[in-house]
Amino acid sequence: MNTQTNMATTEVKPSSSKNPKKARNPSLAPKKDLKKNKKKTKAPAFDETVERNDGEEQQPASGSEQLSFFLKQLESAVGVRVSALELDPIKDKCVVELSEKLDQNVSNLGEHIKMCCGSSWRETLCEGEVVEGKVDPGSPAVLVVSSSALRSLELIRGLHSLTKQCPALKLFSKHLKVEEQVSLLKKRVNIGSGTPSRIKKLIDIEALGLSRLDMIVLDMHADVKGFSLFTLPQVRDEFWDLYKTCFHQRVLEGSLRICLYGPMPAAPKLRNNKKQRQNQD
């Protein structure tokens, strides 16, 4: 009887540990901050971001809206204001209005350019031989201008269906020497894709000709950091220097068309959209 009483007393007797905190149930201990152990989400690929923005956020702009946007950017960047008198003869044709049936992404670029060239697209974009008095060597019909060498390469891949006979020329400086590009420009070139600084350099040394140039395609897509051709500081300045020096007068004369390829966010949003883009991603 005494033995049973002693056992019962032992069962309910409190722990004699000097540090009761050590005896605390582990399940009741405060949980660690899960945010610290959370894996970082990988940034989406460039074109994934573009397609999401095109499909969900960006609506195709009309030709007049694109022209207004471009002229505001021009005036803001270099202080050039186009008067109503200068604009009136060209306002309906200087900006290309792309088909709304196709998304403006890398894979559709070739098809968009093909439609812009009309019935002569094959002769303009695909033929590979120089035609004396008509097609000068090193003079493309289309120039695609983007913010980086990587983006230029992506856009060239979107032109593959048009460049089997006459490859698109890479007009950027990364891993490419000027001398190599000068050599390639001695042949027929229908389409060139590159960055503003190298394009201007090749024009300045008279290696890249403008005699056939009918359209400049300006890549408006923003990268994962929110920067584009019109907002990446150094590239932005280089582009407007190129445009003002080599293209603006031709646009006013009606001999050169502008194609804004991709969404056209307002400049202030691009500068202050870091948190917003993080929430979207």
Side-chain angles (χ1 to χ4, degrees):
M1 186 71 178
N2 292 338
T3 303
Q4 292 177 353
T5 303
N6 291 340
M7 288 177 64
T9 302
T10 303
E11 289 174 359
V12 298
K13 195 171 183 179
S15 173
S16 59
S17 173
K18 292 182 180 179
N19 189 0
K21 289 184 179 180
K22 292 184 179 180
R24 186 178 294 175
N25 190 335
S27 63
L28 298 178
K31 295 181 179 180
K32 293 182 179 180
D33 188 358
L34 296 177
K35 291 183 180 180
K36 292 182 180 179
N37 297 327
K38 203 170 184 180
K39 291 183 178 179
K40 291 183 179 180
T41 305
K42 186 179 179 181
F46 194 103
D47 216 35
E48 290 175 355
T49 305
V50 167
E51 290 178 358
R52 183 175 65 250
N53 287 344
D54 284 348
E56 298 178 6
E57 298 176 6
Q58 299 294 338
Q59 296 298 324
S62 66
S64 60
E65 289 173 333
Q66 292 181 61
L67 178 58
S68 176
F69 170 82
F70 183 79
L71 293 178
K72 286 178 181 177
Q73 296 294 315
L74 173 63
E75 184 175 359
S76 172
V78 291
V80 174
R81 187 169 189 175
V82 180
S83 68
L85 187 63
E86 292 174 311
L87 185 61
D88 190 59
I90 61 169
K91 63 182 180 181
D92 295 327
K93 59 181 180 180
C94 66
V95 171
V96 176
E97 197 163 352
L98 299 175
S99 171
E100 295 183 8
K101 295 180 181 180
L102 291 174
D103 290 336
Q104 294 179 32
N105 55 30
V106 169
S107 58
N108 290 331
L109 178 58
E111 192 63 28
H112 277 295
I113 291 179
K114 176 181 170 181
M115 288 189 286
C116 290
C117 291
S119 58
S120 63
W121 67 269
R122 190 181 298 278
E123 179 185 349
T124 303
L125 303 172
C126 301
E127 297 294 331
E129 298 297 326
V130 172
V131 180
E132 189 174 351
K134 187 177 180 181
V135 180
D136 296 327
S139 296
V142 177
L143 273 179
V144 183
V145 188
S146 53
S147 60
S148 70
L150 179 60
R151 180 62 177 169
S152 295
L153 284 172
E154 290 178 352
L155 294 170
I156 285 175
R157 284 194 284 270
L159 298 168
H160 179 68
S161 62
L162 302 175
T163 57
K164 294 177 182 178
Q165 286 181 275
C166 184
L169 194 60
K170 302 169 186 176
L171 303 174
F172 47 81
S173 59
K174 191 171 185 178
H175 305 310
L176 292 171
K177 294 180 179 180
V178 171
E179 292 77 15
E180 295 174 8
Q181 292 167 325
V182 169
S183 178
L184 292 171
L185 284 165
K186 291 179 180 178
K187 303 175 183 178
R188 175 166 174 161
V189 177
N190 295 326
I191 304 174
S193 176
T195 53
S197 60
R198 180 50 63 91
I199 290 174
K200 187 173 185 300
K201 185 176 183 65
L202 291 168
I203 293 173
D204 288 344
I205 63 175
E206 299 182 353
L208 178 62
L210 303 178
S211 62
R212 290 180 65 215
L213 189 61
D214 172 64
M215 182 170 65
I216 51 172
V217 179
L218 308 181
D219 178 37
M220 302 302 298
H221 291 77
D223 61 20
V224 293
K225 294 181 179 179
F227 289 111
S228 70
L229 180 65
F230 283 3
T231 59
L232 191 58
Q234 183 178 347
V235 173
R236 174 180 182 266
D237 295 340
E238 291 168 347
F239 167 72
W240 288 115
D241 181 38
L242 167 67
Y243 175 82
K244 184 179 178 181
T245 306
C246 305
F247 301 146
H248 184 60
Q249 189 58 40
R250 296 170 63 88
V251 171
L252 293 181
E253 292 169 356
S255 61
L256 181 62
R257 298 180 293 165
I258 300 168
C259 172
L260 303 180
Y261 195 72
M264 297 186 307
K269 290 183 180 179
L270 281 176
R271 294 190 194 104
N272 301 307
N273 69 346
K274 186 176 181 181
K275 291 183 179 179
Q276 183 180 359
R277 288 183 65 84
Q278 285 176 345
N279 293 333
Q280 291 171 351
D281 294 342

